[in-house]
Structures are given as C-alpha cells and as structure tokens.
C-alpha cells in the first residue's frame, strides 16, 4: 500500500470497515457520550515550554486505544443527569449553551468530566463551597466505589458535603469517533489547572504508565513515533502549544467554539482517504486493495 507523502498510517481494522460502510453493509454504532479532562500544571517544564499535561498510557490489552496515550476520562453515567447535584460555577443551563446540548446532557457531561478525573487521576474538582477546595486525603475507597458504579457522584458529593466546582473547567473541543469505527464516542474535551495541594495519581488501573509532558514534548514525541495518540489527543496538545501557563489555557478555552469534529472516509477504487474537516494534518490516504 502506498501512502501519499505526509499522510498518517491507516489503522489495520479501518479499510474493511470503511469499505463495508460505503457499500451499505455496516450499521454505524451509536456514539457514547463521554468527557475527558486535560489536567495542566505549571513549573515542571523547561523555560518557555508551557504547562505540562497529565497523560495516561492505556494498557495494550484494552479493547479501545490500547497502548495509546490519553487524558483521564470516560463515559457519562446516566445518574449524573438525574441527580440533584450540589453545584458551583456556571449552571447546567449555561453549560448546555456552551456545549451545544440540552440541560440534562450538559449536567451529565460536566459531572462525568469531574467524576472521571477523580476516579482515574485522584484529582477532585470539588469543595465545601464555591470558593474553596476539598482538603487532600486518601479517597481510594470512594474512587473504587465510583469506578465500580456502587456509588454515584451525586451521592459522593452529598455524603461529604461537597459541591462540584464547574468553574474550574474550560470547554475546549468536541470530537466524535468516525462512523466506521467499531467503538464510537461523542467526547467533550475540557482543560483544568491542577488544584493547589493535590497530587495526581502515579498509578492508574487502566494505564501502565503516567507522564507529565508539555505540549511541545508530547507533540514532538508523537511526530517522532515515540508516543502513540489518537487524532483528538494530539490535536488538543497542538492547540495548547501557544499557552504559556495553565491559566492562559483556561483563558483561551473561553473563546473556543465547541462544535463536533467527525472524521469522514472517501473510497475511490482501492484508494481510501479519511479527513477531519479543518485538520488537514490528520489526513490518512493511500491504496488499500480489498
């Protein structure tokens, strides 16, 4: 198979699925609503390199994106939409307008972003009121209960007298997995600064490695083939390159337009092209005989 210069490699499972979708032989899976958070911290990078992002390398045994670096995140829990959550910062109605969805879905997405960051990274974007943060402590039992779905995030907040601090999140992007993928996600990306006094987990169950990397380091590692990342992950890091600090990234988030980005495939004989509108650097193109 010959790839046009500058194009990315085609994942091995894609050609057959792209061909089946084009022939009307594949029914696209329904994307699962999800949220992920780019945790940023200052002070760990070389001068001028900007803040560092917290990245997890997913275990190679995982069905989706095994071996790839990703941010803490996961699927929406339906209970997040229904709960009477203790809430600070922009309201679910304001988030609905920002995220381009309805109020119930917006509440669930923002809650999922905070909950998944707590479950996976151990970083809690919540506090006893709208101005302060929760005191650092060992939350391992609560995190395990949340991950096992034995406890909803609303129940956790209520039990510990905490409010979700939605003001600590900045909406950055929304990416939807292409229709030909077996597992599909409709994912909202957020940025957040590491709260003072908290530490992110050094070991995560779904990951075999965690790393704090500046966007420059991560993008250079990706381009050199040392770091595997899915298109949305590396694109967000590229977009964060101008940010000199976590605060600058959060300020930039306020001006981001949040609209779905969806990869589309074209088939012309043996040639296949996958494009993400507005992101030509992600184009995958080449000859893939049946």
């Amino acid at each position: 198979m010959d790839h046009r210069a500058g194009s990315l490699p085609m994942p091995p499972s894609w050609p057959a699925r792209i061909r089946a979708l084009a022939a009307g032989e594949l029914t696209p899976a329904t994307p699962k609503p999800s949220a992920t958070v780019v945790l940023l911290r200052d002070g760990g990078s070389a001068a001028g390199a900007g803040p560092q992002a917290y990245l997890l390398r997913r275990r190679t045994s995982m069905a989706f994106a095994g071996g790839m670096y990703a941010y803490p995140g996961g699927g929406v829990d339906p209970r997040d939409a229904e709960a009477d959550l203790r809430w600070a910062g922009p309201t679910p109605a304001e988030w609905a307008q920002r995220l381009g969805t309805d109020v119930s879905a917006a509440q669930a997405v923002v809650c999922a972003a905070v909950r998944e960051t707590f479950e996976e990274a151990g970083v809690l974007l919540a506090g006893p009121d709208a101005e302060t943060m929760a005191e650092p402590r060992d939350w391992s039992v609560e995190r395990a209960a949340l991950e096992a779905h034995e406890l909803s995030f609303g129940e956790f907040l209520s039990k510990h007298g905490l409010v979700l601090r939605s003001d600590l999140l900045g909406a950055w992007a929304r990416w939807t997995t292409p229709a030909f993928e077996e597992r599909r996600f409709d994912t909202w990306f957020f940025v957040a600064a590491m709260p003072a006094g908290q530490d992110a987990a050094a070991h995560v169950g779904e990951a075999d490695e965690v790393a704090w990397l500046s966007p420059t380091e991560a993008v250079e590692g990706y381009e050199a083939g040392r770091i595997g990342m899915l298109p949305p992950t590396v694109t967000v890091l590229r977009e964060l390159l101008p940010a000199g600090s976590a605060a600058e990234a959060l300020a930039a988030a306020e001006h981001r337009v949040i609209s779905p980005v969806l990869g589309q495939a074209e088939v012309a004989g043996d040639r296949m092209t996958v494009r993400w509108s507005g992101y030509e650097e992600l184009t995958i193109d080449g000859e893939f005989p049946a």
Side-chain angles (χ1 to χ4, degrees), residues 12-38:
S13 64
W14 282 14
R17 296 185 65 83
I18 289 172
R19 197 169 277 112
L21 181 66
E25 299 167 355
L26 177 68
T27 301
T30 301
K32 181 178 181 179
S34 306
T36 190
V37 176
V38 188

Side-chain angles (χ1 to χ4, degrees), residues 98 171-174 239 252-261 279:
R98 180 78 179 100
W172 193 267
R174 179 183 179 183
E239 292 168 341
E254 296 178 9
H255 305 288
R256 299 276 304 174
V257 175
I258 311 300
S259 55
V261 179
Y279 300 92

